[in-house]
Amino acid sequence: MDSSVNCPFCHLNLPPSQLQRHANSHFDEDDGVAEKDEQLARDLELAQQLSIPPPSSTFTIQENNTMDEKISCLIALQYRSSFYHVKSPGGLISLLSNCFELDADTNTTVLLSGYVDHFQSLASEDAGWGCGWRNIQMLSSHLLSHRHDASELLFGGSGFVPDIPFLQRWLEIAWEKGFDALGSHHFNNSVYGSKHWIGTTECAAIFRSFGLRARIVDFGPKELQSFFLSVPGTSLTPPVVTANASDKRKAFQVYGPMDRYLVGRNSDVSQLDSIVNDQSQSSTNYVAGESDHSMANRFPRKKEGHQVLLDWVWNYFSEESLTTSVQNRHVVITNRVPLYFQHDGHSRTIVGIQFRRQQNGVPQYNLLILDPAHRTVALERSLGENAGWKKLIKRGAHTLKKPQYQVLLL
């Protein structure tokens, strides 16, 4: 059970034994602001080490329990994930919006999602393997802040974002409900307490198990389209797999975490090919495949390289009606949910996109990304000072060097 407490000044989650020392630090006048921020980050990491027992000792769900009993147990025992709370009332998105407002370039339009908390990977807990879980936490924080239906459905209606061990349990429950059967088989039906990398399909399984619609879109060279994972949820029969588990792991190692469903040469992938959009009549060498055919067909395909991905993201954020506009009118907050953004070896969260029309008339796009590998304190400081944040958040076409990318939208 969670025995931690929140600091009354910065709301940092701490063990009771650390609260007084930490609270007193807010009144130390001889420390600079930057030093205090660094100390807060160290306190957060220390709190993680002191307050969270090893996953194996956190709680146990008996295999012979019914599904309802497992869920009730998980709801009762899960606790809120600790993270650094940005001081600005609107969080990082508000700070990012302010930075773009200060830009006098009238040829620029910026579309942003609403509020989202940044969950950073911690060296003491999940560095090197936890990016997928942290991105799930970021998406969850947005949904809990903006959608009443999601707050009632996610994590048993707890109203908060659980820590990674509990997310691992929720994924196992999703598997037991029948979501992502192939992924469940790959992990031998168990991820709790492990350091396994996860990807877009695991993210989709978790959100689908709560009744939310999660769709996966693949972007990559046309010759790899039969490897796309853009398949609908469990309402359709999954591809027939004849390769054994060792073959699947081998494919995973070769192609990266997003290609977990790739199978050996003798596997039947015809069903997977039939689900992906028919690209046979398209002249492009870089295509997008998606589980929702009607949406995928609305976006232009005859583009070169990763321009397809950038065009798709722009259309995603610009399609819905805009809920809020700021004073300069070239920065708008949309009602779009951030995107889970996966490539071989890492995943991040897309929180918006910048469009700029260059002097030659050619449009230029920059993805706006929150990376779990970055420290929240560093993001907050760079945005607050309007200095150095672009190298942390902006990602143009020249940075998209992987052959294949995958996006999950909610």
Side-chain angles (χ1 to χ4, degrees), residues 147-346:
R147 286 176 49 177
H148 179 70
D149 62 326
S151 64
E152 292 182 342
L153 295 171
L154 288 176
F155 316 119
S158 63
F160 60 78
V161 180
D163 208 3
I164 290 178
F166 302 100
L167 292 179
Q168 291 175 327
R169 285 296 198 198
W170 282 115
L171 177 57
E172 291 177 352
I173 286 177
W175 286 340
E176 191 171 341
K177 288 181 176 180
F179 294 91
D180 188 17
L182 288 175
S184 177
H185 174 74
H186 173 69
F187 287 109
N188 197 25
N189 309 318
S190 176
V191 290
Y192 177 68
S194 73
K195 296 182 178 181
H196 291 310
W197 287 11
I198 64 165
T200 318
T201 51
E202 286 75 35
C203 178
I206 289 178
F207 286 116
R208 287 169 179 167
S209 71
F210 292 121
L212 301 179
R213 184 181 186 185
R215 289 168 287 174
I216 298 173
V217 189
D218 283 282
F219 300 88
K222 184 177 179 181
E223 57 269 23
L224 293 181
Q225 68 182 35
S226 63
F227 297 149
F228 288 176
L229 305 186
S230 303
V231 296
T234 54
S235 60
L236 293 181
T237 305
V240 177
V241 179
T242 59
N244 58 33
S246 61
D247 289 332
K248 193 175 185 184
R249 284 193 294 271
K250 182 177 180 181
F252 171 78
Q253 293 171 357
V254 171
Y255 294 98
M258 79 173 67
D259 293 325
R260 189 178 304 99
Y261 292 162
L262 289 182
V263 292
R265 292 181 179 179
N266 297 326
S267 301
D268 180 3
V269 295
S270 59
Q271 189 170 2
L272 179 59
D273 290 335
S274 67
I275 295 173
V276 178
N277 292 323
D278 181 11
Q279 309 290 349
S280 60
Q281 298 179 0
S282 174
S283 62
T284 183
N285 292 321
Y286 196 85
V287 297
E290 185 180 0
S291 58
D292 187 324
H293 290 216
S294 61
M295 174 173 280
N297 290 333
R298 287 199 297 268
F299 300 109
R301 295 179 188 167
K302 295 186 178 181
K303 299 286 184 179
E304 293 183 358
H306 297 300
Q307 190 63 38
V308 176
L309 168 60
L310 295 171
D311 286 346
W312 188 95
V313 174
W314 172 260
N315 278 282
Y316 169 77
F317 278 100
S318 62
E319 184 174 289
E320 289 287 320
S321 60
L322 305 176
T323 58
T324 306
S325 63
V326 295
Q327 293 179 354
N328 288 349
R329 292 190 177 181
H330 65 243
V331 183
V332 292
I333 306 299
T334 75
N335 60 2
R336 282 302 204 180
V337 180
L339 297 167
Y340 186 107
F341 186 44
Q342 175 80 52
H343 62 74
D344 185 7
H346 192 42

